[in-house]
Amino acid sequence: MKAKQKILVAMSGGVDSSVAAGLLQNEGFEVTGVTLKLWGGPSDTGCCSVSDVTDARRVADSLGIEHHVFNFGDEFEDNVVAPYVRSHAKGLTPNPCIECNRHLKFDKLIRRARALGFDLIATGHHARIVEHNNGLRIARGADFSKDQSYVLHMLSQSQLRQLKLPLGEMTKTEVRKIAASLNLRVADKPDSQDVCFISNVKGSRKKFLEQRIELTPAKVLDKNQRTVGEVESIEMVTIGQRKGLGLSGQGAPKYAVEIDAEKATVTVGEKSDLYCSTTEIKDLSWTDATYPTPVEVQTSAHGRTASAIVTSTVEWAKPHMKVAPGQSLVFYDGDVVVGSAIAE
Amino acid sequence: MNEKIIYLDNAASTPIRPEAIDAMTTVLSDCYGNPSGAHKMAREARRLIDDARDTLSHGLGCDPKEVIFTAGGTEADNLAIFGTQGSRDGTILASATDHHAVIAPVEQLGGQFIQVDENGLLDLDHLTHLLDENVALVSVGLVNGETGIIQNLETMAEIVRSKAPKALIHTDAVQAFPWLDVASLTQSADLISIAGHKFGSPKGVGALVVRNGIKISPMQLGGGQELGIRSGTQNTAAIVAMAAAADVTVKNRKVTVERVAKMRDELADSLQKIPQSYETGVQVHNGTADRSHKIAGSCHFCFEGIESEALLFMLEQKNILASAASSCSSGAQDPSHVLAAMGYSRNLAGGSLRLSLGHSTTWEDVDIAMKVVPKFIESLRKTGS
């Protein structure tokens, strides 16, 4: 009899990764669960709090699999939290989930798994791994509303070869049904929040940044460079933002259309000023030497896509909402991720 | 867990001694009366607790009336620190390498921490610098839980008495009790914490020695048990078990220490041969390691180029159970504040391994560990994780 393949499943304590572990066990893998302790102490509220570790452990107990906790706190601080803060200090809009996937879940964890003798790792992400042009690619999950291919766009061939995504073909409703049928205690647990190290409570992001950097007050200018208001901290302003600019009651709604961290100014304009025909990019990469043109471009984790021609810049087919500098642009051919870049 | 386990985590908790189990089960089945009650079964329970107090007092070199039973070492430490703070004004000092059960209360009360040198010994110059007449409490653990390093309480106490005459001295002797003559080594301490499960009793029971005449405010109020310092119905069975375990521990201590020290030395000498390995707080002179300031059960190393978590995972696959730094409540290994205080880089501290031997450790356990640990370290260094 062939020995079972050993797979390490990253279990956050949520319903998705719990079901992933259960499905792989039913498929005949020798499953071990691991929860990554990335952030905070006993009182944290994020996705790696003690209570979530307990959920993951109790799910593992009920499946009869081993469960471990790996403390990747130092790496998380160095590769996710510190760059997040630095980006905000420069007036950029970072995406910490992408950096966490890049450095923690699919680099550090894969290396650890190999060292410990595992054949594969798995996560509960809603995305698929598909064959495309003789290689493996990330493609959208079957549940478009839960699709996470955007935050997995950076995975390399070697990472994809060592990875299984058991939920790729499923809708969230199906996942919850399976959780219930497996009697998993997390079947009805709400979905997790976006940035796991900052709580959802209003004002938390500001409080968090305040502890790490000095926030810079900024002038709010109109398109004619006249000062029309002030904000307490330029680090808290994002392109497209309307609220919190201190301009209410001054006529038609105004939006942040440009942020200059060096000069500490935020320029506001009409909604129409938020649209552009070109987005400057850096760190452009394609999965293949040849790629389609135009491509479909997604500019945020759960955003719609828009058609564009990508050269050294992104030329939108139709005027497109400005992309906040620092955000990732992910290029799709149909459902398949074929490239990415970062907005400048 | 029927397979043969190689248990090298005695600093975390110890196997329960048969004497403790016997004493405990008798109480559980036959003497369930409330020790605060008036009838004969209650009085019997009370007698058992007071007998246990007598036994403990021999091991701790104190008067029986000075022994306050608690629900463990953490409670004893908290009671010592918060309890004295409630009745005295002044600042608090603690060793930077103390257990979290000391560090967290001291931090909350705005206390200061005494540095240690690279060998983990208290920096007496720094202590002198921090001391003044306002200091109300100095807390220094007798033996460090991670590294097994022993502090010289007498020397420390002399300095405290001369510079801060009002200060009380507390020592967390939780890790010391199985290995050292706590009774004589803690004579200068006003408050002493111990925990049963470090020497063969069940978890959830400990004691704080409060020297006669020292005023301490209770942390919990109620029926006034334990001289009013620790209200709450006593855990008769656990207290009796702890006393039985303490009795055997003290009687056998000399023999156990000699036997275990031999095993530990052979184990540690063999791990010394691993390239880029550092035995914590131990100096090697002319090929001989001086471990005189470490307890016999402690074998603690840092290995460059590996991560403790990965090593512990692999050891567990071979049924070798050990630890690195103290585990946090989630079960993850937290970076060690002890090694940080000793000046170890975060990277090197991340490759620590604590093999802690105990009264039940055998030569077979040690032989297996000596074979397996170097092999796994080599393999982890090759895979680079």
Side-chain angles (χ1 to χ4, degrees), chain A residues 103 106-116, chain B residues 383-385:
Chain A
H103 296 286
F106 300 102
D107 180 35
K108 176 86 185 162
L109 181 62
I110 286 186
R111 284 189 286 123
R112 172 68 64 83
R114 299 295 295 183
L116 300 181
Chain B
T383 52
S385 186

Side-chain angles (χ1 to χ4, degrees), chain B residues 64-140:
Chain B
K65 288 203 186 72
E66 296 176 328
V67 177
I68 305 299
F69 288 116
T70 66
T74 294
E75 191 196 327
D77 286 342
N78 274 259
L79 185 56
I81 293 161
F82 287 117
T84 49
Q85 189 71 9
S87 54
R88 303 162 77 89
D89 288 332
T91 54
I92 305 177
L93 304 180
S95 158
T97 53
D98 266 353
H99 191 275
H100 286 126
V102 169
I103 294 220
V106 171
E107 264 176 358
Q108 186 170 321
L109 293 169
Q112 285 182 289
F113 293 97
I114 314 155
Q115 292 162 9
V116 298
D117 65 17
E118 71 273 18
N119 291 319
L121 298 172
L122 213 59
D123 178 342
L124 298 176
D125 290 336
H126 190 233
L127 168 67
T128 310
H129 170 75
L130 291 176
L131 283 170
D132 60 36
E133 291 186 344
N134 284 325
V135 174
L137 180 69
V138 180
S139 180
V140 172

Side-chain angles (χ1 to χ4, degrees), chain A residues 69-71 74 108 112, chain B residues 307 309 330 333-334 346 385:
Chain A
V69 182
F70 291 161
N71 189 344
D74 281 0
K108 176 86 185 162
R112 172 68 64 83
Chain B
E307 291 171 314
E309 275 176 354
S330 69
Q333 297 288 329
D334 271 346
R346 211 160 158 103
S385 186

Side-chain angles (χ1 to χ4, degrees), chain B residues 1-221:
Chain B
M1 296 247 264
N2 287 325
E3 68 263 76
K4 159 88 178 141
I5 291 287
I6 294 141
Y7 188 78
L8 292 171
D9 202 17
N10 287 274
S13 204
T14 50
I16 303 180
R17 289 184 180 272
E19 294 85 350
I21 294 175
D22 286 349
M24 179 171 209
T25 46
T26 309
V27 173
L28 288 173
S29 54
D30 301 342
C31 190
Y32 42 83
N34 189 324
S36 299
H39 54 68
K40 62 182 178 184
M41 200 201 277
R43 294 197 302 277
E44 172 65 3
R46 192 175 188 118
R47 182 187 68 77
L48 289 171
I49 288 172
D50 285 335
D51 282 354
R53 212 184 298 281
D54 285 356
T55 307
L56 256 299
S57 73
H58 296 313
L60 292 165
C62 66
D63 187 274
K65 288 203 186 72
E66 296 176 328
V67 177
I68 305 299
F69 288 116
T70 66
T74 294
E75 191 196 327
D77 286 342
N78 274 259
L79 185 56
I81 293 161
F82 287 117
T84 49
Q85 189 71 9
S87 54
R88 303 162 77 89
D89 288 332
T91 54
I92 305 177
L93 304 180
S95 158
T97 53
D98 266 353
H99 191 275
H100 286 126
V102 169
I103 294 220
V106 171
E107 264 176 358
Q108 186 170 321
L109 293 169
Q112 285 182 289
F113 293 97
I114 314 155
Q115 292 162 9
V116 298
D117 65 17
E118 71 273 18
N119 291 319
L121 298 172
L122 213 59
D123 178 342
L124 298 176
D125 290 336
H126 190 233
L127 168 67
T128 310
H129 170 75
L130 291 176
L131 283 170
D132 60 36
E133 291 186 344
N134 284 325
V135 174
L137 180 69
V138 180
S139 180
V140 172
L142 180 52
V143 169
N144 185 270
E146 282 180 37
T147 61
I149 290 165
I150 307 164
Q151 300 292 348
N152 188 332
L153 283 193
E154 295 303 320
T155 317
M156 188 268 306
E158 269 174 40
I159 299 172
V160 173
R161 299 288 183 226
S162 72
K163 297 271 290 179
K166 282 190 302 188
L168 296 177
I169 293 173
H170 167 245
T171 188
D172 176 324
V174 164
Q175 293 287 350
F177 196 83
W179 308 107
L180 302 178
D181 181 7
V182 172
S184 70
L185 292 175
T186 58
Q187 280 307 308
S188 55
D190 303 295
L191 302 149
I192 307 159
S193 304
I194 59 157
H197 74 112
K198 306 293 189 189
F199 54 87
S201 118
K203 288 148 200 69
V205 63
L208 178 68
V209 172
V210 182
R211 298 275 186 219
N212 287 330
I214 287 171
K215 206 170 158 346
I216 198 158
S217 315
M219 305 262 301
Q220 57 194 48
L221 304 174

